[in-house]
Amino acid sequence: GAVVSQHPSRVICKSGTSVKIECRSLDFQATTMFWYRQFPKQSLMLMATSNEGSKATYEQGVEKDKFLINHASLTLSTLTVTSAHPEDSSFYICSASRVGVNSPLHFGNGTRLTVT
Amino acid sequence: KNEVEQSPQNLTAQEGEFITINCSYSVGISALHWLQQHPGGGIVSLFMLSSGKKKHGRLIATINIQEKHSSLHITASHPRDSAVYICAVRADGLTFGKGTHLIIQP
């Protein structure tokens, strides 16, 4: 099956620093990638949708200047949490899909971010 | 905005029992996904449905477009099925249910 690799799996950073999370589709071309956030014991919250070569579409309430998303190629999207604060500590997950609104979703294993 | 309701929120059952998890949504969709999330956080996509019924091993997913309702069934449940099951619907965007926390006891 399709594989999506997300890196790093865990990261601890200090307040004020920036953290980059990578999401790669290993065996298919992902025209669309999604970024999610999950708080403890809660469901996934879609943060943004990115299409290769164009600007990401952010969900309401998600600060695009704080969560920078780049989808420069068909196999790589990155999420950068800028000037991280402790409240940004969360579980971040990406998923990727091929072209087509009804293509299956393939998920990365997630990144546990802790901001101290 | 689509409202997605899942039930039950929590379910504990004995090994071998037949499990049903329900998902209802409020507006028309192009597809519905059933996802499985294990305690470590990794998510697996189980099914993507736009109509009818799909089966994979002991898992069965059905959808009724007119009633805006989908069910996920697990036959002969096993402790390794313990996980959070999440329904997600795709319309203008992607909306997730709150998940069903399933525990199968041996």
Side-chain angles (χ1 to χ4, degrees), chain A:
Chain A
V3 177
V4 174
S5 171
Q6 191 173 336
H7 178 80
S9 57
R10 287 179 182 275
V11 59
I12 301 172
C13 71
K14 292 188 176 179
S15 281
T17 61
S18 295
V19 173
K20 181 185 282 189
I21 302 169
E22 291 188 349
C23 181
R24 292 182 185 271
S25 57
L26 298 183
D27 56 355
F28 69 101
Q29 293 187 326
T31 52
T32 305
M33 287 190 173
F34 302 89
W35 287 95
Y36 314 85
R37 184 173 181 176
Q38 187 177 36
F39 290 104
K41 300 193 185 300
Q42 294 190 23
S43 191
L44 297 168
M45 182 190 80
L46 180 65
M47 298 174 68
T49 302
S50 75
N51 292 299
E52 184 266 338
S54 61
K55 287 187 179 180
T57 302
Y58 289 80
E59 296 297 302
Q60 193 171 8
V62 178
E63 299 175 60
K64 61 182 179 184
D65 294 330
K66 179 163 189 63
F67 299 101
L68 300 178
I69 291 172
N70 184 283
H71 191 168
S73 77
L74 284 170
T75 58
L76 174 64
S77 177
T78 60
L79 167 68
T80 301
V81 182
T82 63
S83 188
H85 287 166
E87 57 263 32
D88 298 324
S89 298
S90 191
F91 190 60
Y92 294 88
I93 311 171
C94 71
S95 71
S97 68
R98 294 178 174 87
V99 66
V101 68
N102 289 334
S103 295
L105 297 172
H106 306 284
F107 287 83
N109 282 334
T111 297
R112 176 83 51 199
L113 170 64
T114 303
V115 184
T116 60

